[in-house]
Amino acid sequence: MIHRIKIYGERNTNTNYMSKLIDLNLIAKEVSGVAPQFILKLQRLLPGKDIVKDIYFFLTYRRNLGWKHTLVKPLQRLNSYGIVNEYLYFITITKNPYSWLISLHRNPYHQYYSLKPSFEEFLQTPWKTIGRDNIKLELKSPIELWNLKNKSYLQLKGKKSLQITTESIFENPNKIIDDISSKFSIPKKHDKFVNFERSTKDKNKNSNYYRQYYLAEKWREKLSDEAISIINASVDTQLMQHFGYHILL
C-alpha cells in the first residue's frame, strides 16, 4: 500500500514548498489539494471564475478531502470518507499571523478591491470567502480567517497527523522530512536530504531569501504600532501560543 499525505495550510504558508520537499525525499503520494489543469483552463474561459473551482472541490471531496487551503471539516466527518485509512496522514502548516497578514495584504486574491486599502484598513475590512473555503460567506476581517483555519487543524492532532509551522520548514527542512518519515514510517527516496532551492512563486527569489526574511523576522519593519494593536485585538492568543508564537507589544 502506498503512503499518502494530505497537506492543509492557508495561502502563503509554504504548502507548495512542502509538496516539493515531500516529492523529492519521500516514497509517498500527496493527495492533491489543487485543481487540475483542465479546471484551470475552464476557469479562464467561463465567467464566475471562483465558482468553477468551488464546484470541482465540492464534487471531488470524497477523493481529495478538499482544497489544501480549506477549513478542515470535523474529524468525524473526515473519517466517514473512504480515502481516510491507516495509510493516509495529515500535515498542517501554520504561519505567524503577523507575517501571514502582511503576505495576504500584498496579494489579497479574490477580494477585488476597487482601490487597495492600506494595511491598517485591510485588517479591519470584511473578508469575502469562497465556496471551497468551507466557511460562511463573509468574515469580520482576514484576522478571523487565520483564527478559523488554524483552529480547525487542532482536531487532527494525533498519531496520524503532524502540525508544523512555516518558520520551522525554513529553519530546518531536513528535520521536517525526518519527522514525517519517522512519525508515519514513510521510507525515504535517498540517503541524503534533497532541498528545493527555487521559489515556487517568484523566480527572482529562493529559499535562502525567504529563510532570512522569516527567521530574522524582517517583516516586522512593515508593521506599524496601529497595525499591531488591531491584530492583537482580534487574533486568537491561545491559538498563537499553541503554535509557539508571541504577541507583539
Side-chain angles (χ1 to χ4, degrees), residues 27 45 52 55 86 135 143 154 165 171 183 191 241:
I27 302 176
L45 294 174
V52 177
I55 293 174
E86 61 180 309
I135 301 177
I143 305 170
L154 300 187
T165 65
E171 185 175 10
K183 183 167 187 177
D191 293 332
Q241 184 178 14

Side-chain angles (χ1 to χ4, degrees), residues 22-209:
I22 289 172
D23 182 57
L24 289 170
N25 292 279
L26 298 176
I27 302 176
K29 181 178 180 181
E30 183 183 348
V31 178
S32 180
V34 298
Q37 284 299 316
F38 79 90
I39 291 295
L40 299 181
K41 290 179 181 179
L42 187 62
Q43 183 185 34
R44 289 191 288 267
L45 294 174
L46 297 177
K49 294 181 178 181
D50 288 316
I51 294 176
V52 177
K53 284 186 179 179
D54 290 343
I55 293 174
Y56 167 77
F57 281 110
F58 175 78
L59 294 175
T60 62
Y61 195 93
R62 288 183 175 274
R63 301 202 306 268
N64 56 38
L65 300 179
W67 193 34
K68 64 180 178 178
H69 305 312
T70 192
L71 178 117
V72 178
K73 290 185 178 182
L75 190 57
Q76 185 177 2
R77 183 73 180 276
L78 285 180
N79 287 334
S80 69
Y81 298 110
I83 188 175
V84 180
N85 57 34
E86 61 180 309
Y87 297 102
L88 177 72
Y89 310 97
F90 296 99
I91 294 175
T92 66
I93 307 176
T94 298
K95 183 177 178 180
N96 189 307
Y98 299 102
S99 62
W100 179 77
L101 287 161
I102 291 171
S103 298
L104 192 65
H105 176 251
R106 184 170 57 247
N107 181 10
Y109 297 93
H110 52 274
Q111 297 308 289
Y112 308 122
Y113 301 116
S114 56
L115 180 63
K116 188 174 181 179
S118 68
F119 184 54
E120 290 75 14
E121 291 170 335
F122 168 77
L123 295 172
Q124 302 173 86
T125 301
W127 179 269
K128 297 177 182 178
T129 63
I130 46 183
R132 58 190 180 275
D133 271 313
N134 190 31
I135 301 177
K136 62 185 179 181
L137 293 180
E138 187 170 277
L139 301 176
K140 293 179 181 178
S141 73
I143 305 170
E144 187 179 6
L145 184 68
W146 188 91
N147 291 340
L148 290 174
K149 291 284 183 77
N150 288 284
K151 189 174 183 178
S152 76
Y153 303 157
L154 300 187
Q155 63 181 323
L156 296 176
K157 188 176 182 180
K159 65 180 181 180
K160 290 193 52 160
S161 67
L162 183 65
Q163 295 176 354
I164 61 178
T165 65
T166 297
E167 296 78 18
S168 67
I169 300 173
F170 284 127
E171 185 175 10
N172 196 339
N174 191 354
K175 182 180 183 302
I176 295 295
I177 290 298
D178 284 344
D179 289 346
I180 295 171
S181 176
S182 175
K183 183 167 187 177
F184 304 143
S185 298
I186 298 177
K188 294 182 180 180
K189 290 183 176 179
H190 324 280
D191 293 332
K192 292 185 178 181
F193 170 73
V194 180
N195 202 358
F196 185 82
E197 295 291 350
R198 300 192 306 275
S199 169
T200 59
K201 291 184 178 180
D202 189 338
K203 64 180 181 180
N204 296 316
K205 299 174 182 177
N206 57 27
S207 60
N208 187 55
Y209 167 86

